[in-house]
Amino acid sequence: SSKIRNMEVQSTDGVAVLEDCIGFSLTKTISKVEEKLKKGVLPDCPDDDIIPRAGNEMGTEAQIRFLKAKLRVTQEDLANVVFECRKKDDENQNLETRLKDTEEENTRLQRTISLQQSQTEKYKMLSQEANKKTEGLQQEVTALEKVLQ
């Protein structure tokens, strides 16, 4: 995600260009394709749907305009995907922060619960001791009343 964040989208002659895209250079790729075209090395790909069948009847300049338009649309789609990835990355960061805060709050509450449970046990013991003392004193009072009568 850090590599996606570092991508910058620039506009050159009305065509969006992604730079610093994980070693990918659109300019180099286009240059390589152009060199192969000049040498006539590129194989014919009948399954290639980049240019529709009607494109075979188009002139070279029309094909170039068509491909530039298709490239522009593809780059816009890529820019949208990059934007969505950044948005999702930000959302993930927010959720991770909330999760961390929630875990810290949970830990704090667990400590509070533990402290309150120990205090409850302490007060139960004090209550039991007080009840035993009260019973002893009640028996003593009963015995003293019998002696006085």
Side-chain angles (χ1 to χ4, degrees):
S1 66
S2 63
K3 290 182 180 180
I4 291 174
R5 285 190 162 284
N6 293 333
M7 283 196 244
E8 294 182 16
V9 178
Q10 297 180 346
S11 180
T12 305
D13 297 331
V15 177
V17 177
L18 278 176
E19 294 192 14
D20 192 26
C21 181
I22 314 169
F24 174 76
S25 172
L26 188 59
T27 307
K28 289 179 185 176
T29 305
I30 291 173
S31 297
K32 288 178 185 177
V33 170
E34 285 175 346
E35 286 176 24
K36 288 180 180 180
L37 275 173
K38 286 178 186 175
K39 293 177 183 177
V41 179
L42 287 180
D44 289 335
C45 298
D47 298 340
D48 194 359
D49 66 344
I50 293 174
I51 297 178
R53 293 189 191 271
N56 295 334
E57 298 169 8
M58 283 193 261
T60 306
E61 297 218 4
Q63 287 180 351
I64 289 172
R65 282 194 310 273
F66 175 79
L67 291 173
K68 281 185 178 180
K70 190 161 185 111
L71 176 64
R72 192 175 309 119
V73 168
T74 303
Q75 288 172 333
E76 288 172 4
D77 290 344
L78 179 59
N80 288 335
V81 168
V82 168
F83 175 77
E84 288 298 318
C85 285
R86 286 180 181 164
K87 202 162 96 173
K88 293 292 182 186
D89 190 39
D90 290 343
E91 185 178 335
N92 283 341
Q93 289 292 338
N94 289 338
L95 289 173
E96 286 175 6
T97 302
R98 284 180 53 198
L99 177 63
K100 183 180 176 187
D101 292 345
T102 302
E103 287 173 344
E104 289 173 359
E105 178 73 9
N106 187 28
T107 302
R108 186 185 67 75
L109 290 173
Q110 289 294 334
R111 279 189 294 233
T112 302
I113 288 170
S114 177
L115 178 65
Q116 289 177 346
Q117 285 176 339
S118 65
Q119 287 177 342
T120 301
E121 291 298 319
K122 176 183 166 185
Y123 289 128
K124 279 183 183 178
M125 295 294 288
L126 288 174
S127 174
Q128 288 173 355
E129 288 176 17
N131 284 339
K132 287 180 184 176
K133 197 173 192 181
T134 302
E135 278 182 30
L137 289 173
Q138 191 66 36
Q139 289 174 357
E140 196 176 312
V141 167
T142 304
L144 287 174
E145 283 178 347
K146 284 183 183 178
V147 171
L148 287 175
Q149 288 178 358

